Amino acid sequence: MPKFYFEDFSPGWTAEYGPRRVTREEMIGFAAQFDPQPMHLDEEAARHTMLGGLAASGWHTCSVMMKMIADGVLLDSASMGAPGIEEVKWLKPVRPGDSLTVHGSVLDVRASQSKQDRGFVKFLWEVFNDRGECVMTLVCPQMVLRRHPGAPA
C-alpha cells in the first residue's frame, strides 16, 4: 500500500537521501558497459581530458541518484513513472571515493486535466558530493496517483 499520494506533495516539500559512496571499480564497470569514453575508463587518458582526471559518467551519477530516490520515496509512493526529464545538468565531476547525497524538493504540483486519478509533481533533484559541491541537478515531472480521484487539487 503506498504511503505517499499526489496530495502528500506540495511546493516546499523536501527530502534528503544518502550518502552513497561511489567506488573507482563501479565507475569503470559502469563506463565499460554503458559509456566507454576515456575520461570514465582510464586514469592516465582521463588526465588529458577536460575533466582532468577519472570521473564517473553522468549517466552513472543519474543511476546512483535514481536508486537513492527510488529507495527514499518512489517505492513508497503511488508513483506511475515520469513522462520524461525536463532538464539534467552535470555541474562537476564525480570522482572515485566521492560520497553522494541527494536533496529533493517539489517545485510545482498540478492535477491532470485528462485523467482525474492522477497528478504531476515536478521535482528538483540535486546531487552533492561530500565536499558540499552540487555535482548534478535534474528536473522531472512525476506522475502520481491521487488518493481521492476527482477531488479538488
Side-chain angles (χ1 to χ4, degrees), residues 30 40 51 64-65 73 76 78 88 96 104 123-125 130 138 140 151:
F30 182 94
H40 306 315
L51 298 179
V64 169
M65 180 211 69
V73 68
D76 279 337
V88 63
F123 288 97
L124 167 63
W125 299 106
D130 41 346
L138 185 137
C140 177

Side-chain angles (χ1 to χ4, degrees), residues 12-87:
W13 177 97
T14 63
E16 188 169 290
Y17 309 111
R20 161 77 162 62
R21 188 169 178 270
V22 180
T23 69
R24 177 187 178 280
E25 294 74 27
E26 86 175 275
M27 286 171 48
I28 291 172
F30 182 94
Q33 191 168 4
F34 300 109
D35 191 356
Q37 298 181 73
M39 68 281 268
H40 306 315
L41 290 169
D42 179 84
E43 291 175 34
E44 181 57 34
R47 277 194 269 283
H48 303 288
T49 69
M50 67 181 218
L51 298 179
L54 191 66
S57 163
W59 299 114
H60 184 201
T61 306
C62 285
S63 297
V64 169
M65 180 211 69
M66 186 66 213
K67 173 67 170 146
M68 286 196 280
I69 65 174
D71 289 347
V73 68
L74 294 180
L75 296 176
D76 279 337
S77 75
S79 171
M80 301 173 70
I85 302 294
E86 288 187 10
E87 174 185 283

Side-chain angles (χ1 to χ4, degrees), residues 113-139:
Q113 298 298 309
S114 60
K115 300 190 180 190
Q116 293 191 354
D117 67 336
R118 67 195 69 175
F120 294 90
V121 180
K122 185 187 288 190
F123 288 97
L124 167 63
W125 299 106
E126 299 171 294
V127 182
F128 293 89
N129 62 25
D130 41 346
R131 294 174 298 287
E133 301 168 321
C134 187
V135 299
M136 186 184 100
T137 61
L138 185 137
V139 176

Side-chain angles (χ1 to χ4, degrees), residues 5-7 116-118 145-153:
Y5 287 84
F6 172 77
E7 293 85 355
Q116 293 191 354
D117 67 336
R118 67 195 69 175
L145 284 172
R146 296 178 72 182
R147 184 176 281 115
H148 306 289

Side-chain angles (χ1 to χ4, degrees), residues 86-106:
E86 288 187 10
E87 174 185 283
V88 63
K89 291 183 181 180
W90 297 303
L91 305 171
K92 292 195 174 285
V94 172
R95 304 293 186 187
D98 279 358
S99 287
L100 303 180
T101 301
V102 175
H103 180 267
S105 57
V106 171

